[in-house]
Amino acid sequence: MLYRENGQFKTSYRADSQIFAIRQDRVAILALLIAAFVLMPLLASDYLFSAILIPFLILSLAALGLNVLVGYCGQISLGTGAFMAVGAYAAYNFQVRIEGMPLIASILLGGLCSTAVGVLFGIPSLRIKGLYLAVATLAAQFFCDWAFLRIKWFTNNSSSGNVSVSDLNLLGFSLDAPVQKYLFVLSFVSVFALLTKNLVRGAIGREWMAMRDMDVAAAVIGIRPVYAKLTAFAVSSFIVGVAGALWGFVHLGSWEPAAFSIDRSFQLLFMVIIGGLGSVMGSFFGAAFIIFLPIVLNQLPQALGIHIGTETASHLELMVFGALIIFFLIKEPHGLARLWSTAKEKLRLWPFPH
């Protein structure tokens, strides 16, 4: 009864096409933002910020970028970790080679460099698709891993291959405390989530979805495949590059190419599959699932009084991940976001059976 739309009248096209058309959704999102920006900084511990919340937000942003490409445009990519690495290393070079470069400018420029690389490796999508496109993007992963490991210029001639960023400053304020880093990342994620939601609801988003559903029919009705696919690669790579820069600068502080290996690409792909393809909310659901499930699996046996070894716990985690991915691919291809949407629809109709 609390989710009914009785008395909510829409008298204009703008009111009918707003992002959150139901008043309860607007209240829920506002409450969520207040909790994230106000209550969390007051109540959460430094460990919660550093080990859970900051990684969750950054991986949500990366999954959001991948969802633009895979979920909305239907272009399979296995090179997301490479585009994150490009954003991280490009932002690092802007930061250390240009005196006085602002932190936000370095991160955004890192995203632009990732955009250029993403468009370059997205050009084969004009000719190939499906498994062949996945192999082409996988080549981007291997190439970037080799480049950042062998070409010393990217690491500012570091002998060990590691790079580090310290003393983060934003408009003269130091970002040392975990709560400050959390608010910084949360601001990025909120802005990019809003921009992406508006983007996929517009003309370019409809072009992406038309290419995803049937590219031949989309070309027949006047949609340019070159423009649609390359813009999807550009937007996706930009968001992923920004997420990579945040991952290196804010979460890791010091990293090497192994931090953006192919395992990271598969992890993000699992997030999108479990959370929901073609859904902004699904990117957050998938990231929360991947981040929080290992914690639950580690704590649950102890809570139940069952003592298992560390190796058994890690194997159990992999088994559960694999089983859930197979479950969602078979039973609910649209992931957790679809389950959430179905629950909301049932609440809107309750108690009527139809």
Side-chain angles (χ1 to χ4, degrees):
M1 297 295 289
L2 296 177
Y3 201 70
R4 301 297 292 275
E5 300 178 61
N6 296 350
Q8 300 183 37
F9 304 106
K10 303 177 180 63
T11 58
S12 65
Y13 177 78
R14 181 177 181 180
D16 190 52
S17 61
Q18 57 188 330
I19 297 179
F20 304 106
I22 303 177
R23 184 185 302 116
Q24 291 89 329
D25 287 340
R26 295 194 294 270
V27 173
I29 291 297
L30 181 60
L32 182 63
L33 291 175
I34 292 175
F37 278 98
V38 179
L39 296 182
M40 276 296 179
L42 296 176
L43 301 178
S45 63
D46 289 349
Y47 170 78
L48 186 63
F49 287 127
S50 301
I52 298 177
L53 293 179
I54 291 177
F56 160 69
L57 290 173
I58 299 176
L59 292 178
S60 298
L61 183 61
L64 181 63
L66 180 61
N67 217 338
V68 168
L69 184 63
V70 179
Y72 285 101
C73 196
Q75 308 301 303
I76 302 176
S77 174
L78 296 179
T80 315
F83 302 137
M84 287 184 70
V86 171
Y89 280 97
Y92 167 76
N93 279 277
F94 281 117
Q95 190 73 17
V96 299
R97 297 181 187 277
I98 301 178
E99 186 70 25
M101 172 65 73
L103 177 61
I104 295 179
S106 297
I107 293 174
L108 295 179
L109 288 173
L112 288 177
C113 292
S114 181
T115 299
V117 176
V119 171
L120 178 64
F121 282 97
I123 291 176
S125 68
L126 307 178
R127 294 285 184 179
I128 59 178
K129 58 183 178 180
L131 181 62
Y132 301 98
L133 179 59
V135 173
T137 55
L138 188 61
Q141 178 72 53
F142 292 132
F143 174 78
C144 291
D145 286 347
W146 173 86
F148 294 127
L149 187 62
R150 300 297 180 185
I151 302 177
K152 298 299 182 182
W153 185 88
F154 291 120
T155 60
N156 197 22
N157 299 315
S158 173
S159 58
S160 63
N162 289 353
V163 297
S164 61
V165 179
S166 59
D167 299 328
L168 299 179
N169 289 289
L170 178 64
L171 302 177
F173 297 95
S174 179
L175 297 178
D176 292 331
V179 62
Q180 296 172 332
K181 295 180 180 180
Y182 162 77
L183 291 174
F184 179 69
V185 172
L186 180 62
S187 301
F188 263 95
V189 174
S190 301
V191 171
F192 274 89
L194 179 61
L195 293 177
T196 304
K197 184 64 176 179
N198 279 287
L199 194 63
V200 298
R201 294 170 69 245
I204 189 171
R206 291 191 291 271
E207 290 182 0
W208 292 342
M209 288 182 277
M211 294 300 301
R212 174 197 64 191
D213 296 336
M214 187 173 293
D215 53 354
V216 176
V220 169
I221 63 176
I223 294 175
R224 295 170 292 172
V226 175
Y227 176 78
K229 291 183 178 180
L230 291 186
T231 51
F233 268 96
V235 173
S236 172
S237 301
F238 178 74
I239 298 174
V240 170
V242 170
L246 291 173
W247 186 261
F249 277 50
V250 180
H251 178 54
L252 298 178
S254 176
W255 71 92
E256 58 183 3
F260 304 100
S261 63
I262 190 173
D263 293 338
R264 185 71 61 199
S265 300
F266 282 118
Q267 183 188 42
L268 293 171
L269 186 61
F270 296 157
M271 289 181 186
V272 172
I273 293 174
I274 294 176
L277 291 167
S279 170
V280 173
M281 186 65 72
S283 303
F284 292 91
F285 283 152
F289 190 88
I290 296 294
I291 293 294
F292 292 112
L293 181 61
I295 300 175
V296 174
L297 292 178
N298 289 332
Q299 299 295 329
L300 186 60
Q302 298 179 2
L304 297 177
I306 303 174
H307 300 284
I308 60 176
T310 305
E311 294 182 356
T312 305
S314 62
H315 293 163
L316 179 63
E317 176 184 333
L318 294 176
M319 292 168 60
V320 172
F321 278 155
L324 288 173
I325 290 172
I326 295 174
F327 170 79
F328 281 113
L329 287 175
I330 295 175
K331 293 295 185 180
E332 188 51 77
H334 295 288
L336 294 172
R338 181 58 183 171
L339 297 178
W340 175 252
S341 178
T342 302
K344 289 170 59 177
E345 290 298 326
K346 289 184 178 296
L347 285 175
R348 292 172 68 180
L349 296 175
W350 188 84
F352 303 105
H354 61 282

